[in-house]
Amino acid sequence: CVEIAAEAKRVVISHSNPPDMPLGRLPPNVSQAARVENIMGPNIVRFQDGQEFQADDIVYCTGYCLSFPFLHPECGITVQRGRAFPLYKHILNTTHPSMSFIGILHNSLTFPLFEVQVKFALGVLDGRLSLPSKGTMDQDVDEDFKDRLKAGLLPHHAHTISSLYPQYYTELAKAANCRPIPH
């Protein structure tokens, strides 16, 4: 939205479930609203919290259901109840670490996160970053999932980042040897 805000007079971010993570410093022309309730004729959008805005364009980001039917079982990735595993740092296939999944996390500031995930994956591919052993990576994946369950998240929220975003993003940027975008 930051990139769009540089060109637009106003950007409204509508959430079905507003994130419980701080969104950081948004440009002054960016605001948040509840879920869209209705499109009121040409260019008027009404939100469930009663706000109405004039809109020239609407960008829908509706989410998705994880499914990788094109992957052969030998690649080692399992998808079960919305969880793809084993993915080290929610990115790298621990069986074949040259296989990366960028953007699998939910409830994050997507583009800054994607950039850091790509830098991490590229660092592994070009040899600048070394990985722990497969056993250590698998243990990290298992511990991350158990911690999420202990925190009350359901198994299908295994890739929900929400309040964990600042810590995950900062640690991943450090691991990738890149500067995080301030948030």
Side-chain angles (χ1 to χ4, degrees), residues 48-66:
Q48 288 180 343
D49 61 5
Q51 296 184 73
E52 290 185 3
F53 294 101
Q54 182 170 350
D56 294 323
D57 297 291
I58 298 174
V59 179
Y60 290 98
C61 303
T62 59
Y64 57 90
C65 180
L66 284 181

Side-chain angles (χ1 to χ4, degrees), residues 11 41 65 68 74-75 79 81-82 93 110 120 125 130 141 155 181:
V11 175
C65 180
F68 303 112
E74 288 177 4
C75 80
V79 177
R81 297 183 69 195
N93 177 343
T110 53
F120 179 80
L125 289 173
S130 57
V141 170
I181 296 171

Side-chain angles (χ1 to χ4, degrees), residues 7-25:
E7 304 298 324
K9 281 189 211 172
R10 183 172 198 174
V11 175
V12 179
I13 303 170
S14 170
H15 303 279
S16 5
N17 298 306
D20 53 4
M21 65 180 177
L23 289 181
R25 287 177 252 143

